[in-house]
Amino acid sequence: MSRSNKKWFSLNLSRKQNDDSGTCGCGKTSGGCGSHSNDAEMSEEEFYHAAVNASIGDEREKDGFDQVFDVKMDRRTAFRKLAASLLIGAGAVNTSCSMLSSDESKEKAQIDWEEQFKGNYKLMTDDEKKNTVDRLVRSYQLRTGKTISMSSKNAEEDVLFGYAFNISKCQGYMDCVSACVKENNQDRNSQMQYIRIHEMKDGEGLKFDEADDNYYHEVPAEGHFYLGTQCFHCDNPPCVEVCPVQATWREDDGLVVVDYDWCVGCRYCMAACPYDGRRFNWSKPEVPEEEVNHNQHYLGNRMRKKGVMEKCTFCVQRSREGKNPACVEACPTGARIFGNLLDPNSTIRWVLENKKVFRLKEDLGTEPKFWYFMD
Amino acid sequence: MKQLKVFRSLVKDSFDVVTHGTVKYHIWMGFLTFMMLVGMYCYSIQLNEGLSVTGMTDRVSWGLYISNFTFLVGVAAAAVMLVMPTYVLHDVDFKQAVLIGEGLAVAALIMCLAFVIADMGGPSVLWHMIPGLGVFNFPNSMLTWDVIVLNGYLFLNITIPFYILFRHYQGKEAKSKVYVPGAILSVFWAVGIHLVTAFLYQGLQARPFWNNALLGPRFLASAFAAGPALIILVLAIIRNFTAFKIEDKTLKKIAMVVTVAAQINLIMLISELFKEFYAPTHHSESAYYLFFGLHGKDALLPWIWTAIPLNVLATVLLTFHKLRNNPKILYFSCFILFVAIWIEKGFGLIVPGFIPGPYGKIAEYTPTGVEIGVTLGIWALGAFVFTVLAKTAIGIELGELRFKNNKN
Amino acid sequence: MMSSSLFVNRSLCLIVFCMVFFSCKHEDKYHGVMEKIEAEGEHYQGVSLSSENYLEGVDTILISEGGHTFLIPERKNQIKLYACTECHSKPLAEMQEGDIKKAHWDIKIVHANEKAMNCVTCHNPSNMDELRSVTGMSIDFDNSYNLCSQCHSKQFEDWKGGAHGKRIGGWAPPRASMTCVNCHNPHQPHFESRWPARFNTQKVKERE
């Protein structure tokens, strides 16, 4: 096996020989894959070991399934065998096609392979996070020729993000919506938007069912007020609770994020969210290349794929750098206030302590970190 | 080694049995194969394009697939209504039916798993859900409970009948010491799979239509009505087309089970309707949508108003001994009961959970052709699996299939 | 029969036990987010992030009002024709006489009504480089919020605390906030109605 300091399986496609095992990249034991073939057929046991090695590599650090069970080498059991064959089987199609092609496509195939079988971001060490981010940046470069910057910055100490929305101020201009779409590289085809602005009639209270969240007329409309909703980054988020694979979780700074590469697309979180805060990529998301925001974060606005969940992250790529989310920055009326709830001198704290604030559906016990108030 | 040889011979023999049959049988299997191919084609479209080819949207994010999944979990669980009397209470009448029931459970479970996979956005990363390989969010996520109980139940329902058939295949009596503990476990397990599946929905505070303590019990009641109703129909067909003897007494007993379950189901339905409509709150809107439509949106009306009268009619017909004892009426009522519960627990349960949405928005759901194609394909898969299992089992039970130790 | 019922009982107990055991899923030690904020914010050390980088190119001045100390953008260097006395060398009455072309002809006052407000309610006719309060005290253009706060005291309170207005830079300290005139045109402070912005390739195309 490769002795390089990687913990995922490297295909070694561009290197001359596989020095340990007789497997070729696609994992077939006899006949070889694509162009090159193995002379000797391996016995079942040899194949088993090769496959195991292939799938887990030499490194014994935590990644993928090790993250959970942290098993030692000697506890190799049936599931590991299953793992190996599964990995190899799935990767076979992918890689066998690229045996003859250029170095670049080999590299691409290798990145795809490593990405397919990486672990859950939530459980990665900082090095692993950096590695996957590097791979993604490189992959984007290979695909489009453009360079992006992608961050894997962790939550800051002593930070808990909170958000307040001034119902009296919002005029329904929707600058926030458009800034959000631009900032977060949302799919243009399905017109995905994280934020919805509800136009409500004065004097009827918060009647969401009669509100219009898809208006297009001059605003503010006579006799109406506006209220925006998005993911509220609940402190007790039901969506996180129900995810079968922990592909979504609450970070230490309170952001509820999704690992797009770990999500299996069951949409249980969508059913569990009482606030319509989650969006699904029903088809491959598309953003015109010239409109792509190249300043990205792994948990934030990096390009998504089809069949995964996504949501507002309070613009993690911005907020973890000290900036305000794009919606806050874009709002021309100052209806949106964002800040650190743990900082006693922050403006968000002043709002919570001095204004009459409320949250939506507080009775559900979700503890949103998104408050509404009026002048 | 000997066991392996017997097993190999069993597989070979059962392959022979399932590939030979009457013309009608071949037409049936050919039809199922065709439907499965159609389903696979539709699924390949879905894999290529993404789930956007289905009728599901961000507003209604679960549809036909999950509806069928929910219903079929009930069908699978219903096998317990035959297992308990047979293995635990030693009721001989059920003996012939029980293997068929368990075969049905296996087929239903395979369909369940297929529906779940069809509903996934990323089937290629499904290994994230395998405990040990991926990250299994147990016990927090009810979906992980469901994965465990469904697969466990599948295992139980494959091993128990397999053991019995395997023994019979060799001309030996199955040892009750071996399979009775498994059978008892499967009784609990069956209740478990259906309760857990109900909890999947019941535990969501975001969806008041589901977040309702009656959901679990009602799941059970409707399952124990629809499942055995299907078993009656299947047994009737088997009785007609094969030499397998199923006595009237057996059918009558199962019919009794169906009747009681349907009655309980109806009582719970009334209780639910009373709660929703006597003092309607904001949370009753989904029920309003389902039964009367909201703001002119009424896509589910024809469905639910088919289901409710059929349900009531079937329950009334079954309640009268005279009617129930007439096979024709029995089959008819079982059929309409099955259809009614399929609508009620599929479409009628899943879709209104999303309508109106969390903020009262009403976006209706209509399945697309691709979705229906995949669904039919999966049903055909289930029917195919069941036919193969049943044909083998019947062959063994009739003594046509026996291990011949002729090589030595 | 005996043994099987025992088995049933035992497994039932086991199931109930498991259910109880696993249902304690809330590992969080707080009952609500406010409690969490209170507890975790008690020993707040400050954050390593800073908004300073995002304030580059904006000239700011530090103000301290009612216990709140924060930055606001400088105003005078943003006014094109400051200092005003470069033109306003004579008293107003004299400047309005004669045939000189009108300056400020495009300014319309849509702020309160004519009885309450005219130019000299805020501008100091005897020193055009300064503003003046209703009591005749002079107010610097950079601190024009003092002028607004005479009437809009409620908004002033909110602004000081951070509930009214907008931040410049980011959320991280130091706090820099826009002042009244950065958003409101003092002569027509009301926000105009307009069409909602919608960035969406497809919708835009459809509309065209």
Side-chain angles (χ1 to χ4, degrees):
Chain A
M1 282 318 291
S2 70
R3 261 153 215 102
S4 61
N5 213 15
K6 289 177 178 172
K7 72 187 43 160
W8 58 83
F9 169 55
S10 291
L11 274 183
N12 289 335
L13 287 177
S14 44
R15 279 151 238 167
K16 278 284 169 279
Q17 79 268 15
N18 302 333
D19 40 22
D20 167 289
S21 72
T23 37
C24 59
C26 70
K28 287 184 190 168
T29 51
S30 59
C33 59
S35 60
H36 87 155
S37 61
N38 285 316
D39 295 341
E41 291 220 349
M42 286 194 297
S43 71
E44 281 220 16
E45 178 147 285
E46 268 175 338
F47 171 61
Y48 168 41
H49 283 290
V52 167
N53 284 337
S55 64
I56 59 179
D58 279 346
E59 291 290 317
R60 304 305 313 151
E61 288 174 45
K62 292 181 201 167
D63 200 351
F65 48 88
D66 288 350
Q67 287 171 334
V68 219
F69 281 81
D70 200 12
V71 271
K72 294 256 158 52
M73 260 315 228
D74 52 320
R75 270 190 56 197
R76 243 185 230 168
T77 38
F79 80 79
R80 185 144 299 175
K81 192 171 181 175
L82 181 68
S85 48
L86 188 79
L87 303 187
I88 286 164
V93 186
N94 214 349
T95 48
S96 61
C97 310
S98 58
M99 290 306 286
L100 288 168
S101 42
S102 65
D103 278 356
E104 242 181 40
S105 57
K106 277 179 197 167
E107 192 186 352
K108 216 189 287 181
Q110 183 164 334
I111 288 175
D112 286 348
W113 169 274
E114 287 164 3
E115 278 298 296
Q116 176 75 26
F117 298 114
K118 69 182 178 184
N120 184 342
Y121 187 83
K122 180 190 179 186
L123 304 164
M124 285 185 192
T125 63
D126 285 355
D127 282 344
E128 287 166 336
K129 288 178 182 175
K130 210 188 147 296
N131 284 334
T132 180
V133 160
D134 288 347
R135 285 198 297 268
L136 289 167
V137 170
R138 178 68 184 143
S139 164
Y140 191 81
Q141 197 175 30
L142 288 170
R143 254 168 261 273
T144 63
K146 300 267 166 59
T147 313
I148 49 173
S149 86
M150 194 187 292
S151 160
S152 56
K153 200 174 197 295
N154 287 328
E156 194 85 7
E157 281 279 304
D158 263 342
V159 173
L160 185 68
F161 288 122
Y163 205 115
F165 186 99
N166 189 340
I167 304 170
S168 321
K169 285 277 174 291
C170 182
Q171 309 277 327
Y173 294 145
M174 288 210 195
D175 285 354
C176 49
V177 179
S178 90
C180 173
V181 173
K182 274 185 213 169
E183 170 70 29
N184 289 303
N185 296 326
Q186 282 148 36
D187 179 31
R188 306 293 199 256
N189 288 338
S190 63
Q191 302 166 30
M192 186 194 287
Q193 295 164 346
Y194 295 161
I195 305 173
R196 296 197 204 282
I197 305 289
H198 306 259
E199 187 179 71
M200 309 212 186
K201 276 201 194 75
D202 281 342
E204 297 205 348
L206 295 183
K207 274 217 168 154
F208 277 100
D209 48 341
E210 283 166 27
D212 182 5
D213 65 358
N214 198 28
Y215 56 86
Y216 197 67
H217 52 69
E218 212 163 304
V219 287
E222 188 69 37
H224 288 82
F225 69 99
Y226 298 84
L227 183 147
T229 58
Q230 60 204 68
C231 170
F232 292 160
H233 296 269
C234 302
D235 209 48
N236 183 19
C239 54
V240 166
E241 217 52 55
V242 302
C243 178
V245 293
Q246 294 189 21
T248 183
W249 65 92
R250 193 192 62 205
E251 292 265 283
D252 285 342
D253 52 8
L255 301 181
V256 177
V257 293
V258 181
D259 181 353
Y260 311 124
D261 291 337
W262 194 257
C263 174
V264 295
C266 69
R267 306 190 294 292
Y268 197 13
C269 52
M270 214 169 187
C273 175
Y275 302 109
D276 191 22
R278 292 181 158 255
R279 304 284 178 271
F280 188 70
N281 286 292
W282 298 95
S283 50
K284 191 179 180 330
E286 271 166 28
V287 182
E289 178 48 42
E290 66 275 11
E291 289 177 12
V292 171
N293 177 2
H294 287 179
N295 173 31
Q296 303 178 352
H297 190 287
Y298 183 93
L299 297 171
N301 58 346
R302 72 188 172 100
M303 304 305 289
R304 274 78 70 184
K305 45 191 180 185
K306 113 186 141 201
V308 300
M309 294 301 309
E310 61 173 286
K311 61 187 281 298
C312 158
T313 59
F314 282 165
C315 291
V316 58
Q317 67 279 0
R318 296 171 61 93
S319 51
R320 289 218 174 137
E321 301 289 342
K323 286 193 212 171
N324 278 319
C327 48
V328 176
E329 194 161 289
C331 179
T333 62
R336 292 170 174 269
I337 289 149
F338 180 77
N340 183 2
L341 293 168
L342 299 184
D343 178 358
N345 295 318
S346 64
T347 47
I348 183 85
R349 276 286 284 274
W350 191 88
V351 170
L352 295 192
E353 283 155 19
N354 292 279
K355 308 302 287 184
K356 276 83 188 160
V357 293
F358 68 92
R359 296 175 290 180
L360 293 183
K361 302 189 186 178
E362 276 185 278
D363 50 330
L364 299 184
T366 47
E367 293 291 326
K369 293 194 285 292
F370 195 105
W371 287 266
Y372 293 92
F373 68 101
M374 282 163 268
D375 275 347
Chain B
M1 250 6 250
K2 184 171 174 281
Q3 299 293 319
L4 208 68
K5 205 156 133 202
V6 178
F7 178 68
R8 219 172 278 160
S9 151
L10 172 62
V11 171
K12 225 180 107 240
D13 283 353
S14 77
F15 186 77
D16 278 348
V17 167
V18 296
T19 46
H20 292 88
T22 59
V23 180
K24 268 185 189 161
Y25 172 75
H26 280 291
I27 292 174
W28 167 244
M29 293 304 262
F31 168 72
L32 291 181
T33 312
F34 173 73
M35 287 314 295
M36 282 194 283
L37 287 174
V38 170
M40 275 160 76
Y41 173 68
C42 290
Y43 186 62
S44 75
I45 297 176
Q46 186 189 306
L47 271 185
N48 259 335
E49 303 286 318
L51 284 158
S52 55
V53 295
T54 68
M56 292 182 275
T57 58
D58 276 351
R59 307 270 199 197
V60 182
S61 52
W62 281 341
L64 196 56
Y65 298 150
I66 296 295
S67 303
N68 278 294
F69 158 76
T70 313
F71 174 74
L72 285 167
V73 172
V75 173
V80 74
M81 292 316 267
L82 302 179
V83 171
M84 194 157 57
T86 314
Y87 297 146
V88 184
L89 307 179
H90 303 291
D91 192 326
V92 193
D93 280 353
F94 281 95
K95 203 123 204 172
Q96 297 110 336
V98 70
L99 286 173
I100 304 296
E102 279 170 320
L104 204 63
V106 170
L109 284 167
I110 287 172
M111 286 154 80
C112 284
L113 297 175
F115 274 117
V116 170
I117 288 168
D119 190 64
M120 290 279 163
S124 67
V125 291
L126 217 61
W127 62 273
H128 293 171
M129 223 192 250
I130 301 172
L133 274 184
V135 180
F136 201 55
N137 191 13
F138 187 82
N140 283 10
S141 172
M142 287 319 291
L143 202 56
T144 54
W145 284 74
D146 217 31
V147 168
I148 292 174
V149 292
L150 284 183
N151 285 299
Y153 194 63
L154 182 60
F155 175 77
L156 282 176
N157 270 301
I158 287 177
T159 46
I160 295 170
F162 178 76
Y163 170 75
I164 294 168
L165 289 173
F166 195 64
R167 297 288 293 185
H168 288 181
Y169 178 62
Q170 298 172 76
K172 297 174 192 163
E173 214 24 63
K175 288 183 203 136
S176 62
K177 245 188 217 157
V178 177
Y179 67 78
V180 165
I184 293 170
L185 183 61
S186 83
V187 170
F188 283 101
W189 211 283
V191 176
I193 64 166
H194 217 36
L195 267 187
V196 165
T197 307
F199 289 172
L200 205 73
Y201 307 104
Q202 205 173 321
L204 302 178
Q205 68 266 57
R207 311 281 168 188
F209 187 66
W210 297 335
N211 192 3
N212 155 0
L214 197 55
L215 198 73
R218 194 156 168 236
F219 259 50
L220 288 175
S222 64
F224 293 156
L230 182 63
I231 291 172
I232 289 180
L233 293 175
V234 170
L235 289 179
I237 292 168
I238 287 174
R239 200 150 75 145
N240 228 354
F241 285 96
T242 71
F244 195 50
K245 268 255 161 11
I246 294 150
E247 285 171 54
D248 278 346
K249 239 180 10 185
T250 312
L251 283 188
K252 274 180 190 160
K253 276 205 173 163
I254 303 176
M256 196 66 210
V257 169
V258 176
T259 310
V260 173
Q263 286 164 342
I264 296 175
N265 182 39
L266 208 61
I267 291 168
M268 290 184 179
L269 175 69
I270 292 166
S271 162
E272 231 169 29
L273 292 180
F274 173 78
K275 180 242 167 192
E276 302 285 18
F277 296 117
Y278 180 73
T281 67
H282 192 67
H283 289 169
S284 309
E285 290 216 309
S286 294
Y288 259 96
Y289 169 74
L290 176 62
F291 286 99
F292 304 113
L294 266 185
H295 304 296
K297 304 272 175 68
D298 51 9
L300 288 181
L301 251 57
W303 291 99
I304 198 68
W305 288 114
T306 312
I308 297 291
L310 288 184
N311 198 346
V312 173
L313 178 64
T315 313
V316 169
L317 286 179
L318 286 171
T319 305
F320 294 103
H321 290 274
K322 224 178 191 168
L323 297 173
R324 190 173 68 235
N325 289 339
N326 178 338
K328 280 204 180 111
I329 295 178
L330 174 66
Y331 301 152
F332 173 72
S333 353
C334 283
F335 177 71
I336 61 174
L337 187 66
F338 183 77
V339 171
I341 291 175
W342 178 75
I343 294 173
E344 220 183 287
K345 240 172 85 190
F347 253 56
L349 178 81
I350 302 303
V351 178
F354 293 98
I355 304 172
Y359 293 129
K361 292 292 167 324
I362 301 168
E364 298 208 277
Y365 163 79
T366 322
T368 58
V370 173
E371 221 172 340
I372 293 170
V374 174
T375 305
L376 289 177
I378 294 175
W379 275 93
L381 169 75
F384 191 92
V385 168
F386 175 74
T387 312
V388 169
L389 291 178
K391 198 142 196 286
T392 311
I394 290 168
I396 292 172
E397 289 301 291
L398 290 180
E400 288 164 6
L401 237 67
R402 279 287 179 270
F403 178 60
K404 295 172 207 74
N405 218 348
N406 48 8
K407 273 165 207 149
N408 307 334
Chain C
M1 274 332 278
M2 220 19 227
S3 68
S4 75
S5 74
L6 198 67
F7 180 80
V8 167
N9 277 338
R10 271 190 198 155
S11 43
L12 201 66
C13 288
L14 196 70
I15 289 169
V16 170
F17 173 75
C18 289
M19 295 287 253
V20 171
F21 181 75
F22 286 127
S23 63
C24 312
K25 58 181 182 180
H26 290 285
E27 69 277 5
D28 252 359
K29 20 184 202 289
Y30 308 112
H31 282 296
V33 70
M34 291 318 290
E35 199 175 299
K36 179 176 179 176
I37 293 166
E38 215 165 276
E40 292 190 356
E42 205 172 5
H43 306 289
Y44 177 71
Q45 303 280 325
V47 287
S48 61
L49 297 166
S50 161
S51 278
E52 259 161 42
N53 288 339
Y54 312 122
L55 294 171
E56 269 173 26
V58 187
D59 294 320
T60 52
I61 52 171
L62 191 69
I63 61 160
S64 199
E65 291 286 343
H68 302 275
T69 304
F70 54 98
L71 301 162
I72 61 168
E74 208 184 336
R75 180 66 176 168
K76 281 187 284 202
N77 64 5
Q78 298 292 310
I79 304 173
K80 242 187 278 168
L81 297 172
Y82 197 79
C84 309
T85 43
E86 281 175 23
C87 300
H88 287 275
S89 49
K90 292 181 273 183
L92 268 180
E94 283 173 45
M95 288 193 83
Q96 281 162 349
E97 281 172 5
D99 265 352
I100 5 170
K101 269 190 182 161
K102 273 187 186 160
H104 309 315
W105 55 272
D106 54 337
I107 295 179
K108 283 192 185 66
I109 300 182
V110 193
H111 192 165
N113 58 39
E114 285 162 29
K115 281 180 201 156
M117 302 270 286
N118 61 21
C119 309
V120 294
T121 319
C122 305
H123 292 279
N124 186 346
S126 54
N127 179 3
M128 292 306 278
D129 284 344
E130 277 180 349
L131 301 162
R132 70 165 183 192
S133 72
V134 282
T135 54
M137 308 275 276
S138 72
I139 293 169
D140 194 90
F141 269 96
D142 279 342
N143 298 328
S144 58
Y145 59 85
N146 282 327
L147 189 68
C148 311
S149 65
Q150 298 175 104
C151 302
H152 305 286
S153 56
K154 216 175 154 295
Q155 281 84 345
F156 183 56
E157 284 303 314
D158 284 352
W159 176 71
K160 282 187 294 185
H164 185 118
K166 239 187 112 161
R167 294 276 287 250
I168 342 174
W171 60 266
R175 172 183 166 195
S177 287
M178 290 200 189
T179 182
C180 316
V181 291
N182 294 123
C183 300
H184 300 280
N185 178 346
H187 304 118
Q188 300 175 35
H190 194 71
F191 275 61
E192 293 299 315
S193 73
R194 62 165 163 93
W195 286 77
R198 270 210 186 169
F199 175 77
N200 194 315
T201 3
Q202 208 174 317
K203 273 262 164 65
V204 170
K205 256 182 226 151
E206 277 169 17
R207 264 176 229 134
E208 277 164 1

